Amino acid sequence: MADEPLVLGIETSCDETGVGIVRGHTLLADALASSVEEHARFGGVVPEVASRAHLEAIVPTMDRALREAGVTIADVDAIAVTSGPGLAGALLVGVAAAKGYAVAAEKPVYGVNHLAAHVAVDTLEHGPLPEPAIALLVSGGHSSLLRVDDLARGVVPLGATIDDAAGEAFDKVARLLGLPFPGGPYIDREARAGDPVSIAFPRGLTAAKDLAAHRYDFSFSGLKTAVARWVEARQRAGEPVPVADVAASFQEAVCDVLVGKALDACRSSGIDTLVIGGGVAANSRLRAMAEQRAEKHGVRVRTPRPKLCTDNGAMVAALGSHLVAAGVAPSRLDLPADSAMPLTVVSV
Ligand code: KG4
Ligand code: ZN
């Protein structure tokens, strides 16, 4: 509808320069420039390299998004930008750009939380999010379970990883299997040819003694170590490493815990909507397992299409649009780039 807000979103928290444009819940443009290849040989994102790449990409990516949507900056009702959490230098580029465009075009600007944006992006696919909902947020830097009563004003953390993030575990295990960075998509692909029950890897924080204190928390570092020990034992014995089986069994262990705890949160709170967001939500096994198990419990799973799960500008625009529609006031022009922005703060 033409009277819905036209919102442009800018994302630069990690290695993707994203600019998305939405009208209400409709995606009009999603331009992306990635520096992932510049980081691949280091096996992880190099912050200085990412910042410089954002600087080079931000204006062309803005132009591309506006062209794709067939609008000009003058048509836009508001600009949203990732204020945090993320890499400080990378965030600064997006925040500075958003302020520049906002001042030049006299537009309100919303500094938003990257993690809430991973949840909000699903509205572009499935429409308004029923509230309350449980959200499982799984990315390269975060793994959390949240209760979402009002996405425009705050979320309630139920639990989080106590060590590695789920995506980080995928990336580390991929590395020890000799797969490229970032490893999530490569494990996903390898696992399709493997047997997920061939190796019994541990399910962190699921034993009765852990559940009392960590019912909704995650731990993936023990799993990562178990995979490393298993692979080393094979290599020491001079036997080939069955990469597909290891990938499938590891992936099964991660998904089993994520889905189990997310559905437990739904059950115990009587909430029948589970939204899954973040880069790991692109995982094909996680999506299939969540659907399968949720159905038995009468829970509806909402997961955006894989391209919208990983970092992009559309997710920031989607959250911005939600904030405008909810009547939330814009940020001040001195809004910060906050690398440690708390999960509970949706906009600054
Ligand atoms: O949300 P995201 O793009 O960036 C952060 O905010 O961290 O998430 C990136 C993470 C990486 O660890 C990557 O390996 C993982 O998401 N990932 C996947 C898949 N696609 C991306 N993990 C498992 N399966 C996938 N298909
Ligand atoms: Zn992310």
Side-chain angles (χ1 to χ4, degrees):
M1 281 191 304
D3 57 352
E4 288 181 307
L6 183 68
V7 179
L8 180 144
I10 300 176
E11 155 61 34
T12 65
S13 69
C14 193
D15 59 343
E16 319 279 355
T17 313
V19 179
I21 301 176
V22 305
R23 186 179 295 282
H25 298 301
T26 308
L27 179 60
L28 302 182
D30 188 15
L32 202 66
S34 178
S35 61
V36 67
E37 274 159 25
E38 296 176 54
H39 308 288
R41 70 191 168 103
F42 300 104
V45 175
V46 184
E48 289 78 3
V49 173
S51 311
R52 202 189 52 221
H54 285 307
L55 264 179
E56 286 168 4
I58 189 74
V59 173
T61 311
M62 272 297 278
D63 292 346
R64 197 146 52 85
L66 289 166
R67 231 179 8 252
E68 231 175 79
V71 299
T72 68
I73 191 78
D75 300 325
V76 164
D77 294 308
I79 296 173
V81 61
T82 301
S83 187
L87 303 171
L91 288 167
L92 262 179
V93 177
V95 168
K99 289 178 184 178
Y101 282 101
V103 170
E106 296 182 37
K107 304 295 178 186
V109 61
Y110 288 82
V112 307
N113 190 307
H114 178 84
L115 304 169
H118 269 307
V119 176
V121 71
D122 186 63
T123 59
L124 301 179
E125 197 98 291
H126 299 112
L129 183 71
E131 288 166 338
I134 297 291
L136 171 65
L137 200 94
V138 274
S139 71
H142 293 84
S143 300
S144 296
L145 259 177
L146 319 169
R147 183 188 158 110
V148 184
D149 292 298
D150 181 355
L151 184 57
R153 293 181 175 84
V155 297
V156 181
L158 300 176
T161 181
I162 59 166
D163 41 57
D164 293 349
E168 198 179 346
F170 269 95
D171 296 340
K172 287 176 175 169
V173 165
R175 190 172 187 170
L176 74 95
L177 291 176
L179 300 171
F181 172 83
Y186 294 94
I187 298 248
D188 196 341
R189 208 168 306 153
E190 285 290 334
R192 282 175 208 165
D195 177 0
V197 296
S198 57
I199 311 162
F201 286 131
R203 270 71 169 155
L205 299 184
T206 57
K209 66 174 175 24
D210 295 322
L211 285 178
H214 293 290
R215 182 166 176 184
Y216 300 127
D217 291 327
F218 304 106
S219 166
F220 298 110
S221 120
L223 169 60
K224 173 195 66 191
T225 308
V227 177
R229 293 292 98 82
W230 195 92
V231 169
E232 281 159 19
R234 273 289 176 128
Q235 287 166 335
R236 254 199 321 274
E239 291 168 27
V241 176
V243 172
D245 285 345
V246 176
S249 301
F250 157 77
Q251 179 175 274
E252 195 71 7
V254 174
C255 296
D256 190 18
V257 177
L258 292 176
V259 172
K261 295 208 175 204
L263 289 178
D264 182 27
C266 290
R267 235 179 355 250
S268 71
S269 54
I271 293 176
D272 60 6
T273 302
L274 170 64
V275 54
I276 310 182
V280 180
N283 185 267
S284 61
R285 181 61 185 139
L286 179 63
R287 301 167 76 93
M289 188 193 280
E291 291 272 344
Q292 238 165 35
R293 290 202 196 162
E295 206 184 342
K296 286 189 214 126
H297 298 286
V299 171
R300 177 159 181 248
V301 179
R302 296 172 43 129
T303 317
R305 75 188 91 124
K307 189 169 177 273
L308 292 179
C309 290
T310 46
D311 291 350
N312 61 76
M315 65 193 234
V316 179
L319 180 53
S321 169
H322 186 69
L323 294 173
V324 172
V328 173
S331 307
R332 289 167 31 149
L333 254 187
D334 63 353
L335 76 106
D338 180 0
S339 61
M341 189 171 183
L343 186 56
T344 46
V345 178
V346 173
S347 65
V348 291

